[in-house]
Structures are given as C-alpha cells and as structure tokens.
C-alpha cells in the first residue's frame, strides 16, 4: 500500500483552526475589536446586521497597516505581537497567536481597508474563503475597517448550528461588554440593523459600568481597592440587597482581559456568605493587575481561561478584599473597618516553605483502650490520666513550684498532706479542673 499521509492545504488548515477560534458571530466581533484595541484605537464603531450572520463591520482609528502587513495579517501564525515563545510570558496585548484573521478569512467574505497615518493612500484587500480576490490601493481614513460578510458560507454545518438572531445578538453584546468594561478610555459604539445599541463615551471605570448596565446599578456599587505584592485589585462590587436571581453581572478581568474564573468566583461568593438573599448573585466588576509572567493566557483557544501561578494566595486576597469592602460600607455590621486606610492582608507562604514541625515525643504503640502499660520503650510517653494509686505517690511534687510562691499563712492552708479529706478533694479538683475542663 502506498503512503497515505498528506499535508492539508492552508485553506483547509485555516478552516479547521477557525472551528476553535470562531464559533459564532460574537467570536468575530471579539477578535476584531481586540485587534482594534491592540492597534491603539481610541474609537471603535461596530455595525452588525442580522446578529452578525449577514455583516460584522468594525472601524477603528488605530495605527493601521502598511500594504504588505495588510496582506500578511491574513496568513496563519502571522502576528506583530510576539516573536518568541518567551514573549508569551510578558503579554500585554489582547492577541498574540496570529490566528484570528486567517481563521475569519477561511470561512467568510472579508474586506479590509486600512491606512497608516503617515501614508497618503491606504490598502483594500478582499478575501473569500482564504482566496485573495483583490489587493489594491484605496482612499480611506487612517485606521482600519473590516467588513465580514456571509459568515460560515462554506461551513454549512456551522451555519446550521447558529442560534436565533436574538441569542446570537446577546452573545455579541456580552463580548462588547467584556471589552468595554476594562477600557473606559475608549469610545465604543454598537449598531444593530442600523439602530444604536450602545454609545459609550470616554469616561471612568464606574461610569462605564453604569453606561453599560444602566443607571440603576450606580447606587448599588461599592468600590474595591487593594494593592499587594502578588496582585492589585480594584473595581466595584454590588451591595448584597441588590443581588439578583440571575447571573450576568459577575466580571473578572486580569490585565485588561476578561476571564472566567470559577475558583475566584467562589472567593467572592464566600465573602458574601450569609449576606445574600437565598439563590441570588451579587454583581461584581473586579479588575486584577498582575505581573504577566505569573499568569498563563495560552491555555484556551478563546483566551478566557487563565492560569495563575499564585491562585491560592489570590483567592485569599480577593476574599479578604471583598469582605473588607463590604465591611467598610457597613454591610457586614460586626466588623469595624477603618474608612480611610487599607488593611494588611497577610499572604501565606507557599505550603511547603518554613513549616517547623513540633518536637513532641509520641508512642506509636499507645492505645487509649488498653489498660496495660505499653511494653516496649515508647519514648518519654506516659499515660495522660494515671488512675493507679502508685501514680499519686509523689503528688506533692506537683505543688512544689506553686508552694514556693505562697506566703507562710497560705502555705498552712494549702498543706493538704495534713488532711486526707482535703487531699482527696484537691486531687479530684486537680485532675478535674486542670486537665479535664
Ligand atoms: P494577533 O492579534 O494574534 O496578532 P490576528 O490574526 O488577529 O493575530 O492579527 C494579525 C495581525 O494583523 C496583528 O498582529 C496586527 O499586526 C494586524 N492587525 C489586525 N487587526 C488590526 C487592526 N485593526 N489595526 C492594525 N493592525 C491590525
Ligand atoms: Mg488578534
């Protein structure tokens, strides 16, 4: 039999890769808006038609691309953001894999218009299903404009599995929210079928949250701010009484990137313990900042699952910080926190470091139900509550130290050895109080 293995053509490889990166119109929106952020845009406009099934158009005023870069951008593993594997651990950009544009171009009709500020003329590229149809100079504004039409036109199975427009649009809105919240310094506008859904002006963090989720949230927000050597946390949490029956306003971001983190979510929920009405979830918008070297973003195709080197310490910091903020706002009545300063949250050492084991001699043969004394030499161990009479033979020795401190008249009263009643009473007291209580 002849050899049967062959290299897949690029277009097919890109289509396969697209299966992971681009699952629905919302994925296209996410990838393209993230590219606009990485390009340094201060203004991003998104036009959607039919929940993205017909059109996703994203315009930014970022750095734009040269004609050569514009063509290169659609190649697989082509990126301007990293150049070596080491760079993976100092990532400050949203993208780095160089996969998104190649994937989108493999499964849609893509038109790109782009121009750098320093160039007189821009570039127009038209690609359908990985095939370049046009590349030519074009008059356009500085920045970049992507139009994605007929998503999944050549992957009917994928197209068939798309949900109703209302669901797909909801997914798009979620993606926009996740990008808008950590970027209040960027103006973001969203249109669906020509009607404006969001007009988010440049503002601060709190106002951006309110602009995204509505004015009602404003009076519920409690600010959170904590700086530690491991992580900085700032943002807002909702007052428990405004907690909702449905989830949807729980957000973690790390270094400006949205992430799902069920383990840290638990830290927040536990901080709210006994404060929430049953089956409700508090809102939270927590922005974590940490050294990029201490996290791994490259563990999931959509980069929403992130591994933290110090996750247990961070869990405790999040828990304590949220609890502290609730306390400061008198939501936790029993804790009287200083309104002005931050508390010092101790970060535990790594579990195996600096543990000193107590030096207590033990008898491995000791059996509390066995009345017999152990036979072998079991260290310095002795029965804790001696019941045999002979163990009381030197009972006075127990008081030796205590008697030294007594005045002479007290010594007389405490001379139990003169009175057998007192002796037995005190022996009971001794064992009863000192050891059994
Ligand atoms: P990645 O973002 O992982 O680098 P992409 O496939 O999303 O991969 O993009 C490839 C490259 O195209 C980017 O590295 C960037 O240089 C360029 N690019 C994409 N979108 C834009 C944009 N809106 N403005 C400027 N350059 C862009
Ligand atoms: Mg990208």
């Amino acid at each position: 039999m002849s050899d049967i293995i062959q290299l897949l053509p690029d277009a097919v490889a890109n289509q396969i890769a697209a299966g992971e990166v681009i699952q629905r119109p919302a994925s296209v929106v996410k990838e393209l808006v993230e590219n606009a952020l990485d390009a340094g845009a201060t203004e991003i406009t998104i036009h959607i038609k039919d929940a993205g099934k017909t059109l996703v158009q994203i315009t930014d005023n970022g750095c734009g691309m040269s004609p050569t870069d514009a063509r290169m951008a659609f190649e697989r593993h082509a990126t301007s953001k990293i150049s070596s594997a080491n760079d993976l651990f100092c990532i400050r950009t949203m993208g780095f894999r160089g996969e998104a544009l190649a994937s989108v171009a493999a499964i849609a009709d893509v038109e790109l218009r782009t121009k750098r500020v320093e160039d007189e003329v821009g570039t127009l590229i038209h690609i359908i299903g990985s095939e370049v149809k046009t590349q030519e100079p074009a008059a356009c504004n500085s920045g970049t404009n992507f139009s994605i039409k007929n998503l999944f036109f050549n992957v009917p199975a994928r197209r068939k599995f798309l949900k109703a427009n209302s669901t797909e649009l909801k997914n798009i809105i979620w993606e926009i929210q996740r990008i808008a919240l950590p970027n209040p310094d960027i103006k973001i506008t969203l249109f669906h079928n020509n009607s404006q859904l969001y007009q988010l002006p440049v503002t601060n963090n709190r106002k951006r949250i309110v602009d995204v989720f509505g004015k009602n949230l404003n009076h519920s927000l409690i600010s959170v701010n904590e700086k530690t050597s491991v992580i900085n946390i700032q943002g807002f949490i909702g007052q428990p009484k405004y907690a909702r029956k449905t989830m949807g306003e729980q957000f973690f971001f790390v270094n400006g990137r949205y992430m799902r983190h069920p383990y840290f979510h638990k830290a927040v929920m536990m901080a709210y313990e006994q404060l929430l009405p049953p089956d409700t979830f508090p809102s939270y918008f927590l922005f974590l900042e940490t050294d990029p070297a201490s996290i791994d973003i490259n563990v999931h195709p959509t980069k929403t699952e992130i591994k933290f080197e110090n996750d247990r310490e961070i869990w405790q910091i999040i828990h304590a910080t949220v609890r502290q903020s609730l306390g400061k706002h008198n939501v936790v009545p029993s804790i009287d926190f200083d309104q002005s300063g931050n508390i010092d949250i101790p970060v535990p050492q790594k579990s195996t470091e600096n543990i000193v084991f107590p030096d207590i001699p033990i008898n491995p043969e000791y059996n509390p139900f066995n009345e017999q004394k152990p036979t072998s030499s079991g260290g310095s161990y002795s029965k804790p509550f001696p019941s045999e009479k002979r163990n009381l033979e030197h009972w006075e020795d127990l008081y030796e130290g205590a008697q030294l401190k007594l005045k002479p008249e007290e010594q007389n009263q405490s001379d139990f050895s003169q009175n057998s009643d007192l002796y037995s009473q005190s022996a009971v007291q001794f064992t009863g109080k000192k050891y059994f209580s």
Side-chain angles (χ1 to χ4, degrees):
M1 206 168 117
S2 59
D3 300 332
I4 52 172
I5 298 177
Q6 56 178 318
L7 265 183
L8 290 174
D10 274 356
V12 179
N14 286 341
Q15 253 190 43
I16 293 169
E20 283 201 315
V21 186
I22 308 296
Q23 287 146 6
R24 47 179 20 98
S27 328
V28 177
V29 173
K30 172 186 186 282
E31 293 296 335
L32 296 191
V33 176
E34 286 187 352
N35 278 347
L37 291 181
D38 288 343
T42 55
E43 220 176 305
I44 303 172
T45 305
I46 304 132
H47 278 274
I48 305 290
K49 289 230 163 92
D50 304 323
K53 293 173 188 172
T54 310
L55 173 75
V56 172
Q57 187 185 61
I58 311 237
T59 310
D60 70 56
N61 65 349
C63 64
M65 288 177 260
S66 70
T68 313
D69 282 350
R71 177 63 192 85
M72 268 295 280
F74 292 101
E75 292 299 318
R76 198 141 153 252
H77 308 308
T79 180
S80 55
K81 297 167 195 173
I82 61 168
S83 54
S84 77
N86 282 344
D87 295 344
L88 285 174
F89 296 96
C90 50
I91 284 174
R92 287 272 172 201
T93 51
M94 303 303 289
F96 54 86
R97 294 197 188 120
E99 267 182 346
L101 291 184
S103 299
V104 174
I107 49 159
D109 174 332
V110 178
E111 210 175 83
L112 162 66
R113 283 165 202 275
T114 186
K115 185 179 92 63
R116 299 178 298 181
V117 180
E118 63 266 35
D119 295 337
E120 291 255 309
V121 184
T123 305
L124 164 68
I125 295 184
H126 186 195
I127 300 186
I128 303 177
S130 295
E131 210 177 297
V132 180
K133 301 286 181 189
T134 319
Q135 170 156 15
E136 61 193 28
C140 51
N141 294 330
S142 295
T144 300
N145 179 320
F146 276 103
S147 290
I148 316 296
K149 293 180 197 153
N150 295 331
L151 188 64
F152 299 126
F153 79 95
N154 52 356
V155 197
R158 262 291 157 90
R159 205 170 164 88
K160 209 168 69 196
F161 279 111
L162 289 181
K163 300 267 172 16
N165 281 7
S166 57
T167 308
E168 295 300 343
L169 182 62
K170 213 184 289 168
N171 284 314
I172 290 173
I173 290 172
W174 277 337
E175 291 298 350
I176 301 286
Q177 290 173 347
R178 291 165 187 179
I179 289 168
L181 290 171
N183 294 293
D185 50 345
I186 295 170
K187 181 180 168 191
I188 299 177
T189 314
L190 171 66
F191 293 90
H192 183 240
N193 292 341
N194 294 325
S195 64
Q196 187 178 285
L197 299 187
Y198 275 134
Q199 160 78 285
L200 304 171
V202 172
T203 181
N204 59 28
N205 253 330
R206 183 182 188 118
K207 181 78 179 7
R208 176 55 63 93
I209 294 170
V210 171
D211 286 346
V212 170
F213 290 104
K215 286 199 184 81
N216 284 347
L217 195 60
N218 195 23
H219 53 270
S220 158
L221 295 179
I222 296 171
S223 74
V224 169
N225 207 335
E226 187 63 53
K227 286 189 164 69
T228 73
S229 56
V230 179
I231 201 147
N232 294 344
I233 304 176
Q234 63 100 20
F236 298 89
I237 55 174
Q239 289 181 36
K241 64 180 172 187
Y242 295 106
R244 297 166 64 156
K245 293 257 180 208
T246 52
M247 291 191 77
E249 289 176 4
Q250 291 75 33
F251 291 89
F252 277 118
F253 302 91
V254 59
N255 298 349
R257 182 191 305 276
Y258 167 79
M259 66 167 178
R260 272 172 31 79
H261 212 297
Y263 180 56
F264 292 165
H265 170 72
K266 197 109 189 252
V268 177
M269 292 306 286
M270 284 180 72
Y272 274 87
E273 212 163 44
Q274 300 187 345
L275 299 172
L276 292 172
D279 302 322
T280 61
F281 302 92
S283 305
Y284 62 81
F285 308 89
L286 295 175
F287 303 89
L288 317 182
E289 282 290 329
T290 190
D291 180 354
S294 72
I295 57 177
D296 189 352
I297 304 165
N298 196 25
V299 291
H300 192 265
T302 58
K303 295 171 256 169
T304 47
E305 266 150 54
I306 291 168
K307 266 196 353 216
F308 286 72
E309 193 180 288
N310 307 307
D311 56 355
R312 281 203 283 168
E313 288 89 335
I314 295 170
W315 193 100
Q316 292 189 346
I317 295 168
I318 292 173
H319 178 265
T321 304
V322 171
R323 195 82 188 157
Q324 174 202 358
S325 300
L326 290 169
K328 272 188 187 172
H329 285 76
N330 296 326
V331 181
V332 186
S334 59
I335 306 173
D336 182 21
F337 286 107
D338 174 10
Q339 297 277 338
S340 57
N342 287 333
I343 56 163
D344 222 13
I345 297 170
V347 178
Q349 302 288 321
K350 286 229 166 72
S351 55
T352 49
E353 278 172 20
N354 301 332
I355 293 178
V356 180
F357 288 94
D359 187 20
I360 300 171
I362 57 153
N363 176 7
E365 291 177 29
Y366 172 63
N367 177 352
F369 301 104
N370 186 357
E371 284 298 311
Q372 296 290 311
K373 268 193 126 184
T375 46
S376 72
S377 56
S380 59
Y381 174 79
S382 64
K383 278 178 90 175
F385 311 120
S387 58
E388 295 121 299
K389 197 154 189 281
R390 62 194 156 86
N391 284 345
L392 295 171
E393 269 169 23
H394 304 290
W395 66 272
E396 298 100 320
D397 297 349
L398 294 168
Y399 288 90
E400 217 171 72
Q403 278 183 343
L404 286 175
K405 291 192 186 93
L406 295 176
K407 293 176 198 153
E409 61 277 18
E410 290 168 332
Q411 265 192 25
N412 287 339
Q413 287 168 18
S414 67
D415 191 359
F416 300 135
S417 61
Q418 304 294 311
N419 181 324
S420 62
D421 276 357
L422 264 177
Y423 160 75
S424 56
Q425 235 181 16
S426 97
V428 169
Q429 256 185 9
F430 186 75
T431 50
K433 280 205 176 142
K434 185 99 177 165
Y435 286 99
F436 290 110
S437 66

